[in-house]
Each structure stands twice: as C-alpha cells, then as structure tokens.
Amino acid sequence: FDNLDEVLSEKARETITTGIPELDAVLEGGIGKGELGMIIAPSGTGKTSFTTNLAAAAATIGNSKVLQIVFEDRVTQIQRKHIGRITNVESKDLSKSLEVINQVKGILSSYEYKEQIENNLRIVRFPTGEVSAQYLENYIGKLINSGFKPDLTIIDYFECLKHIPDPSVTNSWELEGKTMRKLEALASKLNMAIWVPTQGGKDSIGSELVTMSQAGGSVKKSQISHIVISIAKTQSDMANNKATVSVLKNRSGGSGKIWQGIDFNNGTCRMDFSCATEADNAITFEALKDKENKQIAKDLLHNFKMQGK
C-alpha cells in the first residue's frame, strides 16, 4: 500500500505511441518508458520499414525524443525511408526525375511536423558486430549530456550487436540472453523505451503467422522482453504489400491479437491495420484460415462446374 497516489496515477506507465491506433489499443497506449519491446520478423520482411514508422510516429504524433540506431543501412537510406513516409513517394522513386525531386521538396517544405522531426529525431549508424549494449549506454549518456535525452531508442537489429564474452557463459545463446538483459536494464535505468527487432528463424520465412518459437537464437530474448510483436509475410503478401502482425506478449495488457492482411508498404513505411482481418488469438486465426480455405475450394469447384456446362 506504499505510495498509492503514485501507484494509481495515470503516469504510473508513460507510453509512447506506435502511430497505429489498433496496435496502441492492445498495448494500452503504446510501449511504456522503461520497457523493452522485441519485434520478430524474417529477413526481408520489413523490420526497418516498421521501425522507421515507429520512430516517425513517436517523434511527430507523440512529440517524443527518438534515437534510431541502424547497422546495415546507411543513414541516407533511413532518411529516404522517412521522406518516403512523409511524401507517400516510395523511397526508390525519390530521385526518379527532377520533377519528382521538386515535388518532394515542396511537400517537405510545408510538412506540418517538420519542426518535431528536426528537434526529436536522431539517426545514427554503427558498424555491425562492433557495438555492445554497454557501448550504447555510454553513447546515449553522451547524448544526454549534450542535451538530447531519448524517450525511445530503436536498435535495428539485435543480431548486429556485439556480445561481451563472459567466462561463466558456455554458449552463444546465453550471451544473447545477457545482452538482452543489459538492454532491459538500460531501458529501466534511463526511463526510456526500447524497440529491438530480431531475425526470425528459417522456419519463419514465408510463414502465415510468426510465433515466439520461430524467433532465431535464444528463447531468453522473448522471456526478458516486456512486449513481443511479430511480422509475417507469405510470398503472396510480398507481392501485394500485405503482412500479418501479432502481439505475442504484452506484460501491460492483453496479448494474442492478430491482424491478417494489413497494408504494409516497404517503400513508404506506411502501415494500415484498418483493412485487416482481426483474430483474438491463434486458435481463432486458424479457424478463420480454415473457413477462408473452404470458401476458396468451394469457389473453385463452382467455377469448375460452370466451365463444365
């Protein structure tokens, strides 16, 4: 019963929006400061596009300070992703012609959140495999001393981090768990939310639904995280800019929610959940898939009979 006013305050959990109303509703407002969120997605699914959308939404709608850390992409590539999101021109087409460039510059000059982006968003690139969680803590400490205190840090992605050797640890999976624990401690210490994508295992590639068991590496990563989200794309989804997103774990609310068939455009980093089919859990999801497959089979049989006539 200690500190009841503080415990029962609306500020007991200060959240940072994802920019996606449907996802925020399940996460009780978004990811909370001091929390560690993991995003499981196979290679090529759009982890960086998803996190770029998270970064932009937090910096603009949420007016939060955001540090976006990347390893495999150049800073200019991430800038182009943000510009694609703002202008709705796919990042690959931004330099297509002088006409497009002038159009893009015109949109950026009058962008309503331009000041928030300039003040709230920092993008930095580090070399893969050379930066540890401790190094990131030191770097963020310097940022704070210079006057920029991140409310949200995005680390894209976990497998690019360096794991510090430990004589007491006998395998690489345990080292992954220790690194994840350090990220959790960092989020708590600095009262800062962290999103960190991680690669799905080979059985997650082309899967209709990615589960926690399909995350690559140590299971401790999922156990330590406060929130776990997955992104899945079939070959058909890839061709049609669709995806399935699921909330696999959520310590601050409900979990199990699945959105199948969201609009997911890698080129503009825009996600629309309003057009998706929703399921409350994996069992409901499978039932919906079974119903859909039966309807497809029924339609094919009907067409076959009609052609026979």
Side-chain angles (χ1 to χ4, degrees):
F1 299 121
D2 291 344
N3 307 314
L4 274 181
D5 287 341
E6 180 183 346
V7 171
L8 299 177
S9 168
E10 291 181 358
K11 294 183 179 180
R13 181 173 180 262
E14 188 177 353
T15 57
I16 298 170
T17 181
T18 65
I20 302 167
E22 295 84 356
L23 187 54
D24 278 352
V26 174
L27 298 181
E28 301 294 333
I31 187 170
K33 287 187 178 182
E35 294 178 359
L36 175 62
M38 186 172 74
I39 302 165
I40 306 171
S43 178
T45 306
K47 292 186 292 294
T48 302
S49 294
F50 192 79
T51 52
T52 295
N53 183 60
L54 294 175
T60 55
I61 302 170
N63 198 26
S64 301
K65 302 291 185 185
V66 181
L67 174 62
Q68 187 174 1
I69 297 171
V70 294
F71 293 93
E72 294 186 338
D73 293 279
R74 299 189 305 276
V75 170
T76 51
Q77 290 175 303
I78 303 302
Q79 287 177 275
R80 288 175 71 96
K81 281 182 173 292
H82 280 285
I83 292 171
R85 182 183 182 275
I86 293 168
T87 61
N88 206 25
V89 177
E90 292 202 21
S91 55
K92 65 181 179 61
D93 295 329
L94 289 172
S95 309
K96 199 170 186 179
S97 67
L98 183 59
E99 181 182 357
V100 172
I101 291 173
N102 289 332
Q103 175 192 347
V104 166
K105 286 182 176 179
I107 295 172
L108 294 178
S109 66
S110 58
Y111 179 48
E112 63 176 320
Y113 291 114
K114 185 177 181 181
E115 185 177 348
Q116 283 94 327
I117 286 286
E118 289 177 337
N119 293 336
N120 294 340
L121 180 62
R122 299 289 181 272
I123 305 167
V124 62
R125 181 183 186 273
F126 292 116
T128 299
E130 297 184 22
V131 172
S132 66
Q134 183 60 56
Y135 183 95
L136 291 183
E137 180 176 348
N138 295 339
Y139 176 82
I140 294 171
K142 292 177 182 178
L143 270 185
I144 294 171
N145 290 335
S146 70
F148 187 87
K149 165 67 170 66
D151 300 301
L152 170 67
T153 294
I154 292 170
I155 303 169
D156 186 14
Y157 52 96
F158 181 82
E159 283 72 18
C160 297
L161 287 170
K162 177 182 179 180
H163 306 305
I164 302 299
D166 186 332
S168 66
V169 174
T170 57
N171 60 64
S172 60
W173 282 20
E174 286 189 41
L175 282 179
E176 285 190 358
K178 290 183 76 69
T179 296
M180 202 68 170
R181 185 65 73 188
K182 288 176 181 177
L183 293 180
E184 181 205 27
L186 178 59
S188 178
K189 179 180 179 180
L190 299 181
N191 192 32
M192 170 185 69
I194 296 178
W195 282 115
V196 55
T198 186
Q199 294 276 27
K202 62 181 180 180
D203 58 338
S204 69
I205 299 173
S207 177
E208 290 184 338
L209 176 66
V210 172
T211 64
M212 279 196 280
S213 65
Q214 291 173 301
S218 173
V219 69
K220 289 185 178 180
K221 292 186 295 183
S222 300
Q223 293 171 341
I224 293 166
S225 300
H226 297 81
I227 298 170
V228 180
I229 291 173
S230 73
I231 306 170
K233 286 187 179 182
T234 63
Q235 290 300 315
S236 175
D237 290 336
M238 290 280 193
N240 295 294
N241 288 331
K242 297 289 185 179
T244 295
V245 172
S246 178
V247 178
L248 303 175
K249 179 181 178 182
N250 178 21
R251 287 186 185 172
S252 299
S255 59
K257 194 78 170 184
I258 300 167
W259 295 270
Q260 182 192 17
I262 69 167
D263 286 336
F264 190 115
N265 190 317
N266 277 347
T268 61
C269 300
R270 292 191 177 207
M271 288 97 210
D272 183 4
F273 282 47
S274 65
C275 57
T277 300
E278 293 187 19
D280 290 329
N281 51 56
I283 296 173
T284 306
F285 176 78
E286 290 301 326
L288 289 172
K289 288 300 299 178
D290 185 53
K291 183 178 179 180
E292 179 183 326
N293 290 335
K294 285 180 179 178
Q295 185 60 47
I296 291 172
K298 185 178 179 180
D299 292 342
L300 287 172
L301 181 60
H302 175 74
N303 291 336
F304 179 77
K305 288 180 178 179
M306 292 296 292
Q307 290 172 3
K309 290 181 178 180

